Amino acid sequence: MAKTILAVDDSSSLRQMVAFSLKAAGYQVVEAVDGQDGLEKAKLQNVDLVLTDQNMPRMDGLQLIKLLRELPSYAKTPILMLTTESSDEMKAKGRAAGANGWLVKPFDPQRLIEVVKKVIG
């Protein structure tokens, strides 16, 4: 059965690019427009991996990760940040919140697939 990935980003063009790349590699993709939407969708359906942006309206990526980690069903789910933020300080905050990895935008679709395959197969 295809693994499902929740892609959370307020940029529709970026979400479409991520979804297109992942679907082409055989994954199912659920899209969310911001952290709040991502949290609601994650509660409706368990996913195998969460890919989230950091800077979004209503709820940012770090807040989303913290709230997901509080849910028993997401305690061990891999979460990757896909963001323009690349400072060591922000990466440390991401790790502290519970992120498993970091991809910097603009992303290389091939690299994205490689990382996803490493994380969830």
Side-chain angles (χ1 to χ4, degrees), residues 77-93:
T77 304
I79 301 176
L80 299 175
M81 304 263 328
L82 176 61
T83 177
T84 53
E85 299 274 355
S86 60
S87 70
D88 289 342
E89 180 193 358
M90 188 51 91
K91 286 180 182 174
K93 285 181 182 173

Side-chain angles (χ1 to χ4, degrees), residues 32-69:
V33 298
D34 59 30
Q36 186 65 47
D37 187 36
L39 183 63
E40 287 160 15
K41 287 186 172 155
K43 286 179 178 176
L44 289 174
Q45 168 188 7
N46 273 352
V47 298
D48 299 292
L49 171 73
V50 178
L51 195 57
T52 182
D53 184 21
Q54 164 53 19
N55 301 312
M56 298 178 287
R58 294 204 302 164
M59 185 191 296
D60 68 20
L62 292 175
Q63 189 63 35
L64 171 62
I65 293 168
K66 284 178 187 158
L67 291 171
L68 285 173
R69 289 296 185 221

